[in-house]
Amino acid sequence: MSVTDIALIIFIIFLLAYAIYDEFLMDKQKGETLLRVKLQRRNKLDAIIFIGLLAILLYNNLNAHGSTVTTYLLISLALIAFYNSFIRWPKMLFKAGGFFYANIFITYDRIKAMNLSEDGILVIQLEQKKLLVRVRELDDLERIYKLMVNFQ
């Protein structure tokens, strides 16, 4: 097994661990989920470029009569990247003590201010950082507002 195969296996393991954590484990942490909001997808171009680069590597590996293991690993990595980028929806989970945004738990007491921009982006001001929440459906903003009013 070459160093390339080992690196591909490591990337596959990390991407699979991320997908499993995001889809199944994050919902179980920090208590019951009160509200789940789907967010807009971002960085589609980055994902397309990454999958395109994997396709080029796969093509080169096939033309050079490379290892079959490397071919299968490249295909696996491309499929997992496709799943993470285009099938899985990013989400925001609201719990009793805080919310998950970008897989990070943020407690409600860290929120200093909240604003809504004209184009429907919720801006949450933390101590040193602003979170720009782009919801998929505008009705979710009202549900977030009602939930936040109950906890403030």
Side-chain angles (χ1 to χ4, degrees):
M1 187 171 285
S2 69
V3 176
T4 304
D5 292 342
I6 293 171
L8 287 172
I9 290 171
I10 290 171
F11 285 129
I12 289 169
I13 289 171
F14 282 138
L15 281 174
L16 273 177
Y18 169 74
I20 290 170
Y21 171 77
D22 185 60
E23 197 64 36
F24 301 111
L25 301 179
M26 191 170 59
D27 195 26
K28 308 270 188 274
Q29 290 184 336
K30 307 286 185 185
E32 180 185 350
T33 301
L34 303 174
L35 179 63
R36 176 190 309 259
V37 176
K38 287 185 178 181
L39 304 176
Q40 289 181 356
R41 288 190 173 121
R42 295 177 20 196
N43 302 330
K44 283 185 181 180
L45 183 62
D46 293 342
I48 291 170
I49 291 170
F50 180 68
I51 293 170
L53 290 173
L54 287 175
I56 291 169
L57 287 173
L58 181 63
Y59 176 76
N60 285 340
N61 188 47
L62 290 173
N63 274 348
H65 303 292
S67 170
T68 308
V69 173
T70 304
T71 302
Y72 287 129
L73 289 174
L74 286 170
I75 292 170
S76 301
L77 187 60
L79 288 174
I80 294 169
F82 181 80
Y83 169 77
N84 280 339
S85 302
F86 297 106
I87 295 174
R88 181 193 64 84
W89 281 97
K91 60 187 167 271
M92 191 171 184
L93 301 176
F94 289 90
K95 308 284 186 161
F99 59 92
F100 279 98
Y101 179 76
N103 297 333
I104 298 172
F105 188 73
I106 299 167
T107 58
Y108 292 123
D109 59 352
R110 290 186 55 201
I111 298 174
K112 302 301 178 198
M114 287 178 57
N115 296 313
L116 185 61
S117 71
E118 293 176 3
D119 51 348
I121 297 174
L122 180 64
V123 180
I124 301 175
Q125 177 68 46
L126 302 178
E127 299 93 7
Q128 299 175 359
K129 187 177 183 180
K130 286 184 183 178
L131 302 178
L132 302 176
V133 179
R134 293 173 178 89
V135 295
R136 186 170 159 223
E137 298 176 15
L138 290 177
D139 294 339
D140 290 336
L141 290 172
E142 184 177 341
R143 295 181 12 207
I144 291 172
Y145 172 74
K146 287 179 183 177
L147 184 78
M148 290 291 201
V149 167
N150 291 337
F151 283 106
Q152 296 299 329

